[in-house]
Amino acid sequence: MSQPIALITGATSGIGEATARLLTNQYRLIICGRRKDRLESLQAELAGESQILSFDVRDKDTVFTAINSLPEEWQKVDVLINNAGNAHGLDLIHDGNTDDWDAMIDINVKGLLYVSKAVLLVMVSRKKGHIINISSIAGLEVYPKGNVYCASKHAVDALTKGMRMDLNEHGIKVTSIDPGLVETEFSEVRFKGDSEKAEQVYKNYKPLTAHDVAETIEFVLSRPAHVMIGDLLILPTDQASSTIVNKKNQ
Ligand code: NDP
Ligand code: 8X3
């Protein structure tokens, strides 16, 4: 029997890339992201079969065109990992950059919706599938200057719950994974390429790695058919909440 198919958005770095590397022996993968060169390098390293889809999740038409362009067999997606997303900026609400606000709402919320819709029609018709939304501790708590990023992840939390209700009769599992601090390119993006500022976020304590989150995704996927992990918060041991991190040597 051929392996199930998993589509991973945001596979060009961080959590998505680590997940692709971990799942390659168990799934045929559709790896997505805007940076096509990275997708091509990753594909060359993956042991299993894969397809590349390069698109911006903000661009509604392109999302549907890209997913519909897959060979028919590959459109039967068993697992969708909605991972693409980022924070843009860390500012007081009255200082916020409206382009950053647009980016976070358009990518983290609307992009997730477009990709889900593009994949769900087939999932519903097959009466099986699993959607894993990568939310965040920021979807459960709000922290100072996190305003719009936290709002976008709270929206993901609401969408996860709504999807679980609406898809219940179709036998589709819906899971939210909510990581705390994970060292990836996330802070580079948040601080617009300011590497020094980004490095500070992960200093003097041990953050999660992208692989830690990938292993959690693998665990969630490995549960028997009758078991659905609903929501899973994963934190570094040094982190108690969005604002409480046990930083040493300061
Ligand atoms: P990275 O910056 O390393 O990865 C983000 C991924 O999202 C990249 O592959 C990027 O690909 C993709 N992406 C961003 N914007 C778009 C877009 N417009 N269209 C398509 N793809 C896009 O960060 P992480 O791996 O940390 O982030 C992954 C997810 O985990 C995000 O949803 C983030 O909010 C969440 N998260 C991260 C935490 C952390 O501390 N790092 C903690 C909790 C949650 P490309 O640029 O090639 O398009
Ligand atoms: C990423 C974690 O705490 O920077 O979602 O919001 S945090």
Side-chain angles (χ1 to χ4, degrees), residues 10 12-13 15 34-35 56-57 83 86 135 149 153 180 182 184:
T12 55
S13 69
I15 295 168
R34 289 166 301 179
R35 288 168 289 182
D56 185 329
V57 297
N83 164 73
N86 277 113
S135 182
Y149 178 66
K153 290 299 186 178
V182 193
T184 62

Side-chain angles (χ1 to χ4, degrees), residues 193-208:
D194 185 337
S195 308
E196 239 171 73
K197 223 169 167 180
E199 275 170 27
Q200 286 302 321
V201 176
Y202 308 110
K203 267 202 169 151
N204 299 319
Y205 72 100
K206 196 165 171 45
L208 295 173

Side-chain angles (χ1 to χ4, degrees), residues 34 85-91 97 99-101 103-104 107-108 149 189-192:
R34 289 166 301 179
N86 277 113
H88 293 262
L90 182 70
D91 300 297
N97 175 322
D99 289 339
D100 285 344
W101 295 356
M104 289 184 278
I107 298 167
N108 302 355
Y149 178 66
V189 175
R190 167 167 255 174
F191 298 121
K192 303 174 201 308

Side-chain angles (χ1 to χ4, degrees), residues 135-138 143 149-150 153 179-182 186 190 239 242:
S135 182
S136 169
I137 189 172
Y143 55 87
Y149 178 66
C150 295
K153 290 299 186 178
L181 291 151
V182 193
F186 178 86
R190 167 167 255 174
Q239 182 174 22
S242 283

